């Protein structure tokens, strides 16, 4: 999304502010949880045992003369606790958090420790936490101790990770939603930009932070300009098309005065081709027709009539399907689409079959021929406007290569699809699939009848 | 019978001259006019049998002129237009024009249309707008729109020749029409571009008009022709 616009300070500022907030909250939360976790980790019984051991150690070492004290300390060192005697206080790591709660508990159990400047801290906080500390003897020397087994190390790690993870995940989700929300107008902009030129233009809702808002506004203005430009060009081309028909009409009438029947016929066919080109261009531009509303129509008769018309003009076409089938369609558009498909088949194959197969929720209309077909890789391309496959297929193609493009668009207006396929055994199938709801038609049918 | 007088309103001088020449060669008298004022001048003479009217005229459009003419007279009007659009055709016909001819046209087509309109009884022009609608057994046939609507309200597509044949049958309900007369009536519109026999056209019409097991009301009268076997109401 951010790639859509140049990073602006406002947008960047928002994202940074959101992330900063997230990090700060996460930091605070985990610091708090970290300390709590460490205190919980050192369990009460552990503390009590340590306190007892220290009281005994203190007495035994205090009884000995200084030269015997190191040996005594060594003797008092167990699997659990390491004891040392020294003249200085134990060096506590700088980062070791003091265990205040544990210390006060231990002092409660063994009040004799109170006079010893007793100190205790957590060494290497993390997976192998150890408790270390010291207590001062009456002569100012120190007993240093350290737990050798990690204090509830596993518990500590698991709980800490879990507890730190929950808020982190929650905050990331929150941050994600906030960023998403901020960028929503940009997403709408991207969707709208993708649609420009598809014929349907809808202004993007003007909302969002200042920079995005100005982009949206600029985009809407641009969209308007593009639409106006397209409309102007379309109108201009349509006007040219209409104006060309007057000289064409003059030429047509003049051609009738040509004495030689051969050249007259040739000229007439040239004129017909020119007229067909103009008509197809106007149809493609949509400059000749008003937008059509869907109306109730007998599609089966429409198909049969197209076939009859083709036969009347010398084509070999047949119709297969029911005698009657009513549907809501844009009848002029559908007629033009099917007529183009039928003319194509008759042109390339000489014969064609038009068939109608109504199904529960759709209509399938096929135009099938046994002509040369279309190379597989071109099946999609031939439906693009101004594309003609001239090399192997006839050079005498009439028009601009708009027939299939027009057919596809007319079918799409009705919410349908046009697909071209090569047939097994040679030839082409052009398949039009129109969605339609029989139910609504039948109810209307009943209503219309009861009204009579 | 004197030659029919055609008023030709066309702004392009060359096309006006060529069209006029074509009509004259087929025995019509032509009164050319370049725009509205000239047209009104000619119409005041009161000797006009049919108007050929270009839709796109400078100044007042052909559609406006058509409306104005219809307020004063029943004279048949054929539109000539560079727009091949279905909407334009329907609008023109709804305004009271009798037919519509897209540019470019051949003299043959033009003459066929002119003759067909002149032959048609003036009946469906009586009120100008929305006239020329006929109904039988729930079917509705609109001559101006050249449209057939089924009893369930669906539009039913017919070829030009089929439509003209049905219109001829409806014009003479419950009367036998000779095959030769039907050929004449149904071929006028498209000139001779359709070479179908009346029998083929009738069998197609029967199929398209037969619904829910009820046969179409067109009966064959052996050796003579066909008949629409049901009353027709005119609107």
């Amino acid at each position: 999304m951010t790639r859509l616009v140049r990073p602006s300070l406002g947008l960047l500022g928002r994202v940074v502010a959101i992330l900063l907030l997230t990090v700060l909250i996460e930091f605070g939360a985990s610091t708090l949880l970290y300390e709590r976790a460490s205190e919980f980790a050192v369990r009460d019984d552990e503390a009590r045992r340590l306190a007892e051991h220290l009281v005994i150690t203190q007495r035994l070492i205090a009884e000995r003369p200084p030269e015997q004290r190191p040996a005594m300390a060594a003797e008092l060192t167990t699997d659990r606790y390491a004891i040392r005697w020294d003249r200085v206080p134990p060096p506590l790591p700088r980062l070791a958090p003091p265990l205040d709660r544990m210390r006060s508990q231990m002092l409660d159990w063994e009040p004799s420790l109170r006079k010893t400047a007793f100190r205790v801290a957590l060494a290497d906080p993390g997976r192998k936490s150890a408790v270390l500390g010291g207590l001062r003897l009456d002569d100012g020397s120190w007993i240093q101790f350290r737990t050798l087994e990690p204090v509830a190390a596993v518990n500590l790690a698991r709980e800490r990770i879990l507890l730190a993870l929950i808020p982190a995940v929650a905050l990331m989700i929150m941050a994600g939603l906030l960023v998403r929300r901020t960028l929503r107008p940009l997403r709408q902009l991207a969707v709208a930009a993708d649609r420009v030129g598809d014929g349907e233009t809808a202004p993007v809702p003007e909302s969002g932070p200042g920079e995005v808002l100005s982009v949206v506004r600029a985009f809407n203005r641009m969209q308007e300009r593009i639409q106006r430009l397209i409309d102007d060009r379309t109108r201009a081309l349509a006007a040219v098309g209409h104006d060309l028909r007057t000289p064409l009409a003059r030429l047509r009438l003049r051609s009738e005065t040509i004495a030689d029947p051969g050249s007259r016929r040739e000229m007439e066919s040239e004129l017909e081709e020119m007229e067909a080109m103009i008509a197809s261009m106007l149809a493609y531009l949509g400059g000749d027709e008003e937008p059509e509303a869907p109306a109730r129509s007998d599609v089966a008769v429409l198909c049969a009539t197209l076939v009859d018309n083709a036969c009347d003009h010398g084509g070999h076409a047949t119709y297969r399907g029911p005698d009657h089938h009513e549907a809501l369609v844009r009848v002029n558009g559908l007629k033009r689409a099917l007529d183009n498909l039928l003319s194509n088949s008759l042109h390339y194959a000489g014969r064609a079959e038009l068939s109608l197969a109504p199904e529960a929720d759709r209509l399938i209309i096929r135009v099938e021929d046994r002509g040369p077909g279309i190379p597989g890789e071109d099946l999609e391309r031939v439906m693009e406007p101004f594309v003609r496959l001239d090399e192997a297929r006839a050079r005498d193609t009439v028009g601009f290569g708009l027939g299939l493009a027009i057919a596809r668009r007319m079918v799409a207006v009705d919410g349908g699809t046009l697909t071209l396929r090569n047939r097994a055994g040679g030839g082409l199938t052009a398949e039009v699939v129109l969605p339609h709801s029989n139910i609504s038609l039948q109810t209307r049918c009943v209503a219309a009848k009861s009204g009579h | 019978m004197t030659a029919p007088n055609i008023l030709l309103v066309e702004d392009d001088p060359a096309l006006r001259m060529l069209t006029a020449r074509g009509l004259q060669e087929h025995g019509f008298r032509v009164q050319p006019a370049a725009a509205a004022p000239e047209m009104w001048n000619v119409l005041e003479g009161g000797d006009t049998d049919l108007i050929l009217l270009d839709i796109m005229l400078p100044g007042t459009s052909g559609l406006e002129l058509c409306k104005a003419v219809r307020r004063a007279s029943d004279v048949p009007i054929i539109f000539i237009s560079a727009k091949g659009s279905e909407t334009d055709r329907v609008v023109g016909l709804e305004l009271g024009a009798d037919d519509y001819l897209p540019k470019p046209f051949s003299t043959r087509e033009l003459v066929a249309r002119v003759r067909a309109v002149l032959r048609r009884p003036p009946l469906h022009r009586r009120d100008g707008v929305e006239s020329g609608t006929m109904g039988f057994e729930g079917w509705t046939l609109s001559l101006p729109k050249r449209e057939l609507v089924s009893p369930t309200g669906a539009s039913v597509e017919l070829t030009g020749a089929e439509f003209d044949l049905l219109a001829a049958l409806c014009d003479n309900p419950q009367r036998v029409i000779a095959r030769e007369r039907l050929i004449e009536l149904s071929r006028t519109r498209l000139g001779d571009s359709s070479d179908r026999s009346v029998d083929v056209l009738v069998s197609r019409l029967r199929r398209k008009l037969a619904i829910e097991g009820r046969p179409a009301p067109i009966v064959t009268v052996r050796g003579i022709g066909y008949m629409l076997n049901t009353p027709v109401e005119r609107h």
Side-chain angles (χ1 to χ4, degrees), chain B residues 156-177:
Chain B
V156 176
E157 196 75 18
L158 298 177
T159 69
E162 289 161 11
F163 186 91
D164 288 325
L165 182 75
L166 184 61
L169 287 167
C170 286
D171 251 343
N172 307 280
Q174 294 170 308
R175 281 216 307 266
V176 182
I177 311 176

Side-chain angles (χ1 to χ4, degrees), chain A residues 49-62 68-86 88 90 106 113 118-119 131-135 137 141-149:
Chain A
R49 201 181 302 166
L50 178 60
E52 280 168 7
H53 196 82
L54 285 177
V55 169
I56 294 165
T57 304
Q58 181 209 13
R59 288 209 191 118
L60 288 174
I61 290 182
Q68 292 177 9
R69 281 176 182 173
M72 192 64 217
E75 232 171 282
L76 284 164
T77 294
T78 63
D79 289 348
R80 212 171 258 275
Y81 308 114
I83 305 290
R84 269 182 67 224
W85 178 80
D86 207 339
V88 293
M106 288 170 74
L113 291 173
F118 175 64
R119 57 186 68 179
V131 172
L132 58 81
L135 44 97
L137 298 182
S141 63
W142 286 79
I143 294 170
Q144 300 178 359
F145 65 90
R146 181 189 181 93
T147 56
L148 291 175
E149 283 178 353

